Every structure is written in structure tokens, then in C-alpha cells.
Amino acid sequence: MGIKLPDGFLSYYREWEDRIGAFIEWRDDPGVPEEGGLPPDLPPLPPETAPLRGLPCAVKDNIAVKGFSLSCGSKLLEKLRSPYTATAVRRLEAAGAVVVGKTNMDEFGMGSSTDASGIRRTNNPWDQSRVAGGSSGGSASAVAAGVVPFALGSDTGGSVRQPAAFCGVVGLKPTYGAVSRYGLVAYASSLETIGVLSDTAARCRAVFAAIRGKDPRDETTREAPPGSPPLYGASRPRDAPRVIGVLSPEAVARAVATASAAEADGTEGAEAALQTAARAAVLEEEVDRAFRAVRDRLAALGHTLVEVEIPSLKYGVPAYYTIATAEASANLARFDGVRYGKRPDWAENPDDLIDKTREAGFGPEVKLRILLGTFVLRSGFQDRYYLRAQRIRAGIRRSFEELLGGADYGGPPPPCDGILLPVFPTRAFGRGETGLSPFAQKAADLYTCCANLAGLPALSFPAELAGGLPVGVQLLGRAFAEAALLDIAETYEAAYPIPHPPGHRPFWS
Ligand code: GLN
């Protein structure tokens, strides 16, 4: 017994896949998972996950599914078959969902376009000359095209939320520790979580309800603390009015420009880079307009909106890239061609084997980041880069906690139930001339990477269409308060739905 895909679905899938290239692996005839059932040391599935039974889903190719590819978008691991299944996937399978394929991604999750995949190119379903976003671009593209109702991705600095926004779907980056990372190939372990991409906020809620929970295989996981808002059966209605803090994008862009000017030390290259970074924080006109519209609509829905500030946010990107590359340089050291992955036919000695494997297997973005990571961790320089980044990280976390409250729900209610901010300064960008340089892409991660630095949940949902392309907005919340973010998004979605891309057919109710 597997699932029976609806009539006409496979040709629908093939037509879309020819245009978008979302998948690294696909199964026309998905079977039932071999292992079935939940291991006894995992918490049971809540009854509300029942609607997931029989639904197909896609999984980013850095999350293990037994018998499937686990390439991480890298040539080095192109032929790898996973011998085991990630906890999040086991939970979905136990809920009756069936994995139909593995999706394309920027190599090891490093990128914002999926163009840094070593395997293939993925296009945006709304306009195939544009990127789907990244690094979970394949998952976002497949959900937007209606090929699957939901998919798993991973979010280290925005990789679920940004492609969700580019493709017009819902993207949830859960609280750090809410979902097990067992079976997720590590990029930057202290920042990343497995996340959900889905067609609707209600579906996102059900998938999150299925995958979350404590797992003895990942010591950082924990159950939602007492007092945190329940996903189902809350006493307050989902459309109840909330207090939403608004992080003004103009103020953020101004702060980044001032910080960049202060950091400039007269070096020619550095000046230009800092100016590019400051420019990259400024919202494109269409995104700016959509952001303001959402703010007004949320007020019209009865919410109270208040302006908030996070002063340390201006250093978020440098802190994020310092920590992410430092952790990546350590995590990727295991890819040495000895135990798995492609290796050269011939090598002089073990060192030469490792050199040749990594030289041929890793793409340029991955090499750049390993170099950056080893640079910031060099002995004698840790204080200047890594420790400074950790201090910025702590400051950002503190500022958010002052507004949203901490993970301990015992105290008085915090000032805000959520914070509204942009996801990314642009809509889905094009390639070549019309694209964004890799450096500008990194600088533009400003609005997403702060949730990872703080370990907080953040939800990206479609705000509107502008010039035929979706624009998303983001709600950031208190630790383990995903429910509050989903409530607001669900209410918004009901009042202001956005259409599907041309050619979309609704196969999944
Ligand atoms: N764009 C960010 C990066 O390249 C985020 C990636 C991610 O979340 N995996 O690191």
C-alpha cells in the first residue's frame, strides 16, 4: 500500500517540473515507509495531524529519508543514499504523509537563490527567468506550483522564509529546539532548524504539530513550556486582537547605513562593500508598499500596531555570517572523501585524497565560507570576530526578549505578541544583470537572520502580488509561541488571500 496519486497528477507534475526543476529526486510510485510507526521514545502525534494522512510531501535534500538521495545540493554527495530517516520525517510518515521527492537547494544551505546548487537549477513558478529563493528553493517552488501541499526545508538564516516569500507560500522557522535536527545535515548547528513550507497557514500548523517535540537523538530539543500558547484548543479565538510591534524598515536601513559609515576605515574595497551592504538593506518600492499595506490591514483586522526598535540589528548580518561560517568550517570538515561521497580515482596519500575530494566536490560558495570560517576562528583573532559576534548575538536576543518575553512564561505579559518586519528587501530576483551579487544577497539577509541569532520562531506569509510576483511579510514571536504567529497569519490569509501562479491546479484540499 502506498498512496494513490490523483488522476492526471503525474502529467501535471511533469509539466511543472520541466519548467521549475524543483526536485533532485522524484518517485512516481511512492511506497509506504519501511519503518512505519513512531519510536516509543518520541511523544505521540496530536489528533489534529490526522488530515496529513495520505498527503504527498517533499523534503529538502539535506534532510535524511531512508533510501532517498541526501546530496545537500553538493556534487560531493550526489550519489549518496541515506541509510536512515530524520526524526521530523519519521513523525510525518507516522502521521500518514508520504515523501514523494527530495528538493533542490543551495549547496549545504549556503545561499539565497538555489543557484548555488551543485546539481541543477530551480526556477520560480511565477516567472521562470527568476530564482525561487534559497536555500530551500526547491521546496518553495514545488509547494507554490501545487505539486505538493507542503514540504520540509531548513532555516539557518532565512532559508525557509525567504524562498517562501519569493514563491508566495507560507514558511515557518520554528523556535530553536522545538523540532529535532536529528537527520538534518549540519551547516551551522546553533542557528538552524527544520522548518515548514506550505500552501496555507492551517496546513503549516498541522505539519508543525506533527514534527515538533522532544527527541532524545537531539539534546537541544524540548517540549513547549507550560503557559505557552497551544497550537490547538486555545481559549482565545484565533482572530482575537493582538499587539504587534512594527520594526520600521526605514529605521533599520538608516541604522545600517550609519553603522557602515562608522566601520569604514578608508580601505578602498571595504568602503565599497559597506556601501553595497547599506544599499541592500533598503526595501524595493513594491516590497515597501506591500509592507505598509499589511500594517494597515492588520490594524483594520483589529490588531494594535506599535513602532519598535532593535538597535543591535544593524550588526546582525556580520554577526550571523561570522557565526555561521565558523560553525560551517567545523561541520563540513567531515566531508573528506573517506567515509562517503565522491572521491578521486587516485591519490598520492590521505592528505592528497582529502584535498582532491574537497577541491572537486565543493562549489565556490562553500569554499569561500570554509575559508571565512577558519579565518574568524584563527588563534589570536577570536576576540576580534567570533566573540564579538557572540556578544552582538546576545544583545539581539535580549532586545527581542524585552519586547516579546522569554521562554519562561511565568512572568507578567510582555509588551508585544509578535513583531512585523519584512522578509527580504526585494521580490524574487532575476539572474545575471538583473540579479543580486552574492555579497548583496548576504547583506539582504538582515531581516531574516535575526530570528536565528535569537533562536525565536518566525513566520513568512504571502502579503500580496506586486507586478505579478508575490511579496511576503514576516512575523517574529516569543519562544514557543508559533501559535500566535499562525493565528495572525491565518486571519490575514482569510481576509486577503493571494492567487496561485498561472497554471496552478488544486489537487490537495
Ligand atoms: N542566505 C543565508 C545563508 O546563505 C541563509 C541560509 C540558510 O538559512 N540556510 O547562509
Side-chain angles (χ1 to χ4, degrees):
M1 188 200 89
I3 49 163
K4 179 153 165 25
L5 295 168
D7 287 341
F9 172 73
L10 284 176
S11 56
Y12 177 80
Y13 153 73
R14 273 189 284 274
E15 273 165 38
W16 265 115
E17 183 60 5
D18 281 348
R19 292 158 60 191
I20 58 177
F23 287 88
I24 287 176
E25 181 177 3
W26 171 269
R27 296 215 179 143
D28 275 354
D29 190 13
V32 272
E34 220 180 276
E35 302 175 275
L38 268 188
D41 57 0
L42 294 178
L45 289 157
E48 290 86 357
T49 59
L52 301 177
R53 182 154 301 281
L55 288 182
C57 68
V59 177
K60 188 177 181 178
D61 211 22
N62 61 347
I63 301 172
V65 186
K66 189 171 176 172
F68 277 85
S69 158
L70 187 58
S71 72
C72 302
S74 180
K75 279 201 167 54
L76 202 148
L77 300 177
E78 202 171 351
K79 298 277 172 313
L80 185 67
R81 299 270 119 197
S82 176
Y84 74 116
T85 297
T87 297
V89 178
R90 286 194 78 170
R91 295 186 63 83
L92 283 175
E93 290 180 340
V98 178
V99 177
V100 288
K102 300 299 300 290
T103 52
N104 197 21
M105 56 183 287
D106 290 303
E107 189 173 3
F108 291 106
M110 300 176 182
S112 305
S113 66
T114 305
D115 280 356
S117 166
I119 313 270
R120 67 174 312 174
R121 172 191 275 207
T122 294
N123 300 323
N124 193 302
W126 292 87
D127 173 351
Q128 279 96 81
S129 71
R130 292 173 191 263
V131 302
S135 65
S136 312
S139 286
S141 187
V143 173
V147 168
V148 284
F150 70 92
L152 293 184
S154 64
D155 192 310
T156 312
S159 279
V160 161
R161 291 160 285 155
Q162 187 257 27
F166 277 19
C167 294
V169 301
V170 175
L172 173 68
K173 172 235 173 282
T175 307
Y176 186 78
V179 177
S180 171
R181 283 178 294 116
Y182 177 75
L184 167 67
V185 178
Y187 156 23
S189 320
S190 79
L191 297 162
E192 65 205 355
T193 64
I194 288 180
V196 183
L197 298 108
S198 64
D199 51 358
T200 65
R203 184 108 62 199
C204 183
R205 189 190 294 264
V207 175
F208 176 59
I211 63 175
R212 73 170 174 168
K214 192 167 169 50
D215 177 10
R217 295 158 200 81
D218 172 1
E219 286 300 332
T220 63
T221 51
R222 55 176 291 199
E223 293 297 330
S228 58
L231 283 172
Y232 294 99
S235 53
R236 85 161 142 181
R238 290 189 183 165
D239 61 358
R242 315 264 177 170
V243 181
I244 302 174
V246 182
L247 195 67
S248 142
E250 307 89 76
V252 172
R254 261 198 315 274
V256 171
T258 320
S260 296
E263 293 289 318
D265 59 1
T267 330
E268 205 182 306
E271 294 272 356
L274 286 163
Q275 277 170 19
T276 306
R279 261 197 313 275
V282 180
L283 303 194
E284 172 184 62
E285 197 186 317
E286 289 82 353
V287 177
D288 186 63
R289 231 182 299 126
F291 186 79
R292 290 164 198 271
V294 172
R295 201 175 50 189
D296 298 344
R297 289 171 193 159
L298 288 172
L301 288 168
H303 301 297
T304 305
L305 287 106
V306 295
E307 296 282 328
V308 298
E309 275 177 43
I310 308 279
S312 43
L313 210 65
K314 54 180 177 284
Y315 297 118
V317 168
Y320 166 75
Y321 276 96
T322 302
I323 296 168
T325 55
E327 293 184 15
S329 70
N331 276 326
L332 269 55
R334 71 185 59 138
F335 301 113
D336 52 13
V338 175
R339 279 158 302 175
Y340 33 68
K342 237 185 243 168
R343 66 167 78 135
D345 294 334
W346 184 87
E348 192 95 42
N349 53 47
D351 280 344
D352 188 42
L353 172 76
I354 296 171
D355 281 357
K356 287 201 165 99
T357 300
R358 290 165 75 84
E359 169 56 34
F362 288 147
E365 184 63 34
V366 173
K367 287 177 184 156
L368 169 75
R369 296 200 188 195
I370 293 172
L371 284 173
L372 257 174
T374 42
F375 177 83
V376 299
L377 290 176
R378 254 169 347 155
S379 78
F381 287 81
Q382 289 199 5
D383 201 45
R384 198 150 142 196
Y385 302 110
Y386 189 71
L387 298 177
R388 203 169 154 202
Q390 294 292 6
R391 281 194 292 274
I392 294 168
R393 179 179 197 174
I396 291 177
R397 185 183 297 138
R398 249 191 331 269
S399 308
F400 279 120
E401 284 186 359
E402 277 163 22
L403 294 168
L404 295 162
D408 174 8
Y409 279 75
C416 298
D417 297 309
I419 294 173
L420 179 73
L421 68 169
V423 182
F424 200 77
T426 71
R427 296 165 296 160
F429 47 84
R431 298 180 164 99
E433 286 290 281
T434 58
L436 285 184
S437 73
F439 181 77
Q441 286 179 39
K442 292 184 180 72
D445 282 338
L446 164 80
Y447 298 100
T448 45
C449 71
C450 43
N452 304 78
L453 287 166
L456 297 177
L459 180 74
S460 156
F461 60 97
E464 64 179 26
L465 278 189
L469 293 173
V471 183
V473 293
Q474 183 179 201
L475 279 167
L476 195 148
R478 184 178 192 174
F480 295 97
E482 284 84 356
L485 311 181
L486 288 161
D487 287 353
I488 299 168
E490 231 171 88
T491 313
Y492 183 93
E493 183 183 278
Y496 304 98
I498 79 156
H500 293 292
H504 174 280
R505 269 167 60 195
F507 277 97
W508 320 111
S509 53

